[in-house]
Amino acid sequence: RTSGKTRKKRSPRCGRKAETMDNFQTQMKNFQTLGNNAGNHFFKLLDKKDYKGIGGLFGQDSVMSFEGNNRKGPKPILELLQMWNKTYTQTQHKFECDTLPCPDDSRLIFIAGRRLDNKHKDMLSGILFSCTIIVKKSNGKFWFSNLIYRGEKNSLNIPSKNLEIGKKLAEQYYKIYDKDHKGLGGIYNEKTILKYEKEFLRGAQMIMCKLTKGASGKIEEEKKIKLPFRSVTFSKVAHKILLLDVHPGGGSNCLIVHVSGMLAPDGSNQGVKFGEVFIFQKGKDGFKAVVQVFRQIY
């Protein structure tokens, strides 16, 4: 103040926005510890065939879809896993976890990676898999209310007729995306949280910025801010759904939709396998995607 130098004024609006984005990024990263711990714990138990330990992760209301087979409650879930392990007597899972908060304050964990088993000689030739887990906490104990696991079996798994809307929502999403991604803005709201690979985004505006080639640079230039992500590098993309599972869960009037398939950007002939999970919540304006995770699986 006494130096006589002219100090450059900072836009209060941009400053607050940057600070808010920084707080959001920090909060989302803090969730990752729970996801990593839960994922590592479950697959360690599964690979060791520790059924007693696995049973302790599920409650009477827990639901599991494992390679398209549906079970509810600890005993039926364990019986299905024991049956699966008769085919795959030795397994080792290598993966990465993504964790986001759900509308009911539970945690959505999306896991993607490779599985080495007795039918494959090494991890690189192993099965690409994806898994969705909803973790809740009751009476000081964490437990799994939902688990979806997919590896080599492709199918559309709709456990009951009232869940068919989940399949329609996913099909609508990819149809709009492939035709003109700009139409996706109406699927999100201002509270939607998306983790796209390693980047966290919140709100329809920021998500559409991520999904629009070159948009992040334009916003930074116009608003004089630094965004914590870069927009995608492709203009168009084609999706092919190979498998889909739908569960109720994640909050009131919510559906969990787990999808995997192939995508080809900008007319590429070489598809890339992807995994994605949505939580769609029904409100006064219909269903909106309120939580979403996207990952390439390799």
Side-chain angles (χ1 to χ4, degrees), residues 158 160-171 246 255 257 280 287:
I158 317 296
S160 60
K161 191 172 182 179
N162 66 312
L163 297 177
E164 288 181 356
I165 184 63
K167 172 178 173 288
K168 293 178 181 178
L169 290 167
E171 290 176 338
V246 184
L255 295 174
V257 183
F280 291 104
F287 279 97

Side-chain angles (χ1 to χ4, degrees), residues 117-136:
D117 54 50
N118 49 295
K119 296 191 175 186
H120 298 86
K121 62 180 181 179
D122 53 43
M123 188 65 77
L124 287 177
S125 64
I127 295 293
L128 295 172
F129 81 95
S130 58
C131 177
T132 293
I133 301 173
I134 300 292
V135 178
K136 293 188 175 184

Side-chain angles (χ1 to χ4, degrees), residues 103-117:
D104 64 356
D105 205 35
S106 60
R107 298 291 179 262
L108 179 146
I109 304 171
F110 184 73
I111 300 168
R114 285 185 180 269
R115 184 188 78 225
L116 174 63
D117 54 50

Side-chain angles (χ1 to χ4, degrees), residues 132-240:
T132 293
I133 301 173
I134 300 292
V135 178
K136 293 188 175 184
K137 189 175 184 180
S138 301
N139 300 319
K141 179 183 177 182
F142 289 104
W143 61 287
F144 296 174
S145 64
N146 303 76
L147 188 145
I148 300 169
Y149 178 98
R150 285 288 194 159
E152 66 269 44
K153 292 190 177 180
N154 296 330
S155 66
L156 302 182
N157 175 36
I158 317 296
S160 60
K161 191 172 182 179
N162 66 312
L163 297 177
E164 288 181 356
I165 184 63
K167 172 178 173 288
K168 293 178 181 178
L169 290 167
E171 290 176 338
Q172 179 188 29
Y173 178 86
Y174 293 114
K175 183 178 180 180
I176 294 172
Y177 201 157
D178 294 352
K179 184 178 181 180
D180 183 359
H181 75 279
K182 294 177 182 177
L184 293 176
I187 292 176
Y188 302 111
N189 61 33
E190 71 280 1
K191 295 183 179 180
T192 300
I193 298 176
L194 163 66
K195 189 175 185 193
Y196 192 100
E197 298 288 1
K198 296 185 181 297
E199 297 172 336
F200 297 97
L201 304 110
R202 179 170 60 186
Q205 183 182 6
M206 287 296 100
I207 291 172
M208 293 308 299
C209 177
K210 173 63 187 181
L211 300 180
T212 304
K213 182 179 179 179
S216 58
K218 291 180 181 179
I219 288 181
E220 288 182 335
E221 184 176 351
E222 291 173 0
K223 298 189 177 183
K224 308 303 179 185
I225 60 174
K226 181 67 176 176
L227 296 174
F229 64 88
R230 299 288 87 194
S231 296
V232 297
T233 57
F234 52 83
S235 299
K236 296 193 70 176
V237 65
H239 294 84
K240 182 179 180 180

